[in-house]
Structures are given as C-alpha cells and as structure tokens.
Amino acid sequence: MAGRNTVGRGLAGVAVAAALLAPGVAAAKDRINLVLNWVPTADHSPYYYAKEQGWYEQAGIELTIESGKGSGVSAQRVGAGTSDMGIADMATALLAKGKGANLVAVMAVYANSPQGFYWLKSSGITGPKDFPGRKIGNPPGDASRVMWPAFAKQAGIDPNSVSFVNVSPQAKVPSLKSKAIDITSDFYNEHDLKVREFGDDLGFLPWRSIGINPYGNAIIVNGDVLAKKPELVKAFTEISQKAFAACVQDVAPCLKALLASVSGLDEPNQRDQWNRIKELMRDPTTTSAGLGMFDAARMKADFEMVKTYFGLEQPFDVGTAYTNRFLDPSIKMPAQ
C-alpha cells in the first residue's frame, strides 16, 4: 500500500505542478503525436491509462497515440520530426541516430532485450546452428531484422545464410503453424500465447541468453521538440513514468483503459503479456536508481555494439542519445 500511495502522491504532484505552469505547458494545449513501435498491446497500456485518467490533459498535453510499423519506422519518424515522440527499440534508435535521425531517449521501458526467436522443434531446429537455409518471418521494420547481423555473428553463423519473409505481426503464429516460415522473431511478452498454441513443440531462444541484451523499447523524442519545449517533454515523461509505476502496482485499470480504446485484444492474453513485461522492465538500475532510468555503462556497451556491427554514417557521442533528467528517482521498479 505504501508504494501505491507514493505513486498516487507523485501523480497528484505532477498534475498540480502542471496546472500551475502558466502560460506554458498547462495553459495552452500542446499536441503530442506518440507513434508506437507496433499495434497497441499491454506494454502500451500505461499511456492509455494515463490518457483515460486525464493526466496528460491536466498537464496541457493533447495526446494522440498512433499504431506503429516497427521500431525502425518509429525511430525514423521521430528523428525526422514527423512525430513528436515515439516508442522504439533502443539499439534501432541508436542506429537511426547514426544515420542522422534527430532523437533522444527519455525513458527506458524494457531494461532487458525482449527479442527472441521461435520455431517448432518438429522442424528439426534445435538452435541457431540450424538456422542457415531456413526462412525467418517478420515485418520489414522489425527490430530483430535490423539487428539480425549482430545476432548472427554472436551465434557464429553467416548473416546471409537465412532468407527473410515479410510477415505482419498478427500473421507470425499462423505462418509458423502453417510452415510458411521456419522461424519467427517476437517479443517475450507474447511468449505465453505461443506456449498455449504449440505446447512442447515450441522452440525458443531469447537473445539475452547468448549475450545480446541491449536496452529494448524506450520513449524517444525529436531533438528539436526537446530543445524548444523541454517542460512539455518533462511533463510527458514524468506522467508516463508514474503511469507505468501505477500499472505495475495494479494492471487491471490499465488493461481496462487499453481494451476500451483498442479492439480485438484478449484480456487474459494481455494480462499474461504484462507479467512478462514486468520481467523485462526489471534490472539493477530500475530497482535502485529509478524506474525507466538508463545505465551509462550499458548504454556505452550498446553503442559500441551498434558501431561494431553496423558502423555509423554520422558518429556521435552516446551521451547525446539519452537522458535521465526527466525521471523521478523516487519511483523505482519493485525487486520482484
């Protein structure tokens, strides 16, 4: 109860502080377009919850949430300024920044990489050594496709030894079941759905198990928006952090808000997803320094990985790619 009361007091504080900002963020409605990495699911429920509760509106934010088509696309759009803010896999965002995208990450959503590969054991695949010659199905903008060369080199296989098939997020499981593809990539939060579908025939390898564990999804903002309206970015980030904390405490109202806005979602499946998401959100930094905070050493390692495997067309200081300054250190991820 103490943790929930702390979250409530923090949310009230944000609302009050925002209401007192005049004529800035609170007085004039500032529009923010938030482009997601994919279609809305449980990991996006905190934004819908905060919006339903009126927290963004109280802070003078008119928020539009837009479905995405992959981290690569959202990073490009935010970097180009066609979306103010977005959700993107952090390694993909770093790669985009190396190509000139003007973006900055303001909150880590996944402290651990959610990436994993799935296959059917009955296909004869036992692990990455059996991937060559196989078909991997995922969308063109999927972060795992962007980061595939890093995975392949770490796994000791030729990056060019597989073929990629364009498959929508919704078609991953049916395509695997019909054997139209041999392997698919997906986030760990969808794990339980596949276990129910395939049972003991399901093969799974999380990327982090072979030493590839860059930061996953993060909230990113266009650099010009950050420079021109730092108070707006601060308000959005603080509210989003506290919304995530509230959903960790009790996900039921968050899923209710999500399902009220997004059709076609199954509540039990989304609840399973959220339980997996909490695992991805938890690491020594989020439990000690603050929920959503980046660790400098890890960010440097992620940057070096991107630079090593992909190169950077436009080199930059990794310290310019993220900031923790808008996050409240008193809000921490529970240890379990």
Side-chain angles (χ1 to χ4, degrees):
M1 290 299 295
R4 188 172 302 180
N5 290 339
T6 299
V7 171
R9 288 195 300 271
L11 287 167
V14 170
V16 171
L20 293 175
L21 288 174
V25 174
K29 287 288 190 294
D30 281 296
R31 294 180 180 179
I32 287 183
N33 173 266
L34 177 72
V35 59
L36 305 180
N37 53 311
W38 285 127
V39 294
T41 50
D43 55 333
H44 306 118
S45 62
Y47 312 111
Y48 287 91
Y49 176 63
K51 184 175 181 180
E52 181 191 71
Q53 294 296 304
W55 295 340
Y56 293 119
E57 185 178 6
Q58 291 164 21
I61 296 171
E62 184 178 329
L63 179 65
T64 300
I65 303 175
E66 182 181 350
S67 292
K69 297 181 179 180
S71 287
V73 175
S74 57
Q76 290 170 5
R77 286 188 52 180
V78 173
T82 56
S83 286
D84 307 299
M85 304 187 76
I87 312 298
D89 171 80
M90 197 60 215
T92 304
L94 291 174
L95 182 60
K97 192 172 181 67
K99 294 180 179 180
N102 184 15
L103 58 83
V104 180
V106 293
M107 176 179 164
V109 178
Y110 291 164
N112 299 288
S113 172
Q115 295 291 350
F117 280 122
Y118 291 88
W119 62 85
L120 300 183
K121 296 176 184 176
S122 55
S123 69
I125 298 174
T126 61
K129 66 181 179 60
D130 300 318
F131 284 10
R134 303 283 189 161
K135 292 182 290 186
I136 300 179
N138 52 24
D142 196 284
S144 68
R145 190 182 293 201
V146 175
M147 298 302 296
W148 164 253
F151 175 92
K153 291 178 182 179
Q154 183 74 10
I157 58 179
D158 182 355
N160 299 313
S161 64
V162 304
S163 57
F164 284 96
V165 178
N166 293 338
V167 172
S168 71
Q170 298 85 351
K172 288 180 177 181
V173 168
S175 297
L176 193 61
K177 188 174 184 178
S178 69
K179 297 181 170 48
I181 58 175
D182 303 298
I183 306 155
T184 191
S185 61
D186 215 345
F187 276 12
Y188 180 61
N189 45 316
E190 293 272 6
H191 186 77
D192 296 282
L193 186 65
K194 296 177 185 60
V195 170
R196 287 195 294 271
E197 179 70 36
F198 299 111
D200 292 339
D201 194 29
L202 184 68
F204 169 60
L205 180 75
W207 286 34
R208 56 191 181 277
S209 70
I210 66 167
I212 300 182
N213 191 31
Y215 278 104
N217 285 356
I219 299 175
I220 57 175
V221 60
N222 175 264
D224 289 337
V225 172
L226 177 58
K228 295 175 182 177
K229 299 184 177 181
E231 290 299 325
L232 175 67
V233 176
K234 176 180 172 64
F236 179 89
T237 306
E238 287 185 341
I239 290 168
S240 299
Q241 181 196 25
K242 290 171 175 62
F244 270 91
C247 295
V248 168
Q249 291 287 333
D250 182 6
V251 75
C254 302
L255 294 183
K256 183 179 179 181
L258 173 69
L259 270 60
S261 298
V262 182
S263 62
L265 297 179
D266 177 70
E267 194 274 343
N269 176 42
Q270 296 305 311
R271 187 174 291 273
D272 285 342
Q273 284 199 36
W274 183 255
N275 288 332
R276 300 291 183 178
I277 290 162
K278 288 192 293 184
E279 294 180 44
L280 296 171
M281 290 171 63
R282 185 178 294 113
D283 82 334
T285 300
T286 62
T287 58
S288 61
L291 189 155
M293 288 199 175
F294 294 95
D295 175 74
R298 281 194 64 194
M299 279 300 300
K300 183 178 180 181
D302 290 359
F303 179 72
E304 292 301 322
M305 180 192 70
V306 170
K307 187 165 64 173
T308 297
Y309 288 121
F310 303 98
L312 297 172
E313 295 177 15
Q314 300 180 28
F316 60 91
D317 178 356
V318 68
T320 65
Y322 71 98
T323 180
N324 290 326
R325 75 179 187 269
F326 301 128
L327 296 168
D328 183 347
S330 72
I331 299 176
K332 304 184 191 304
M333 185 68 189
Q336 58 181 354

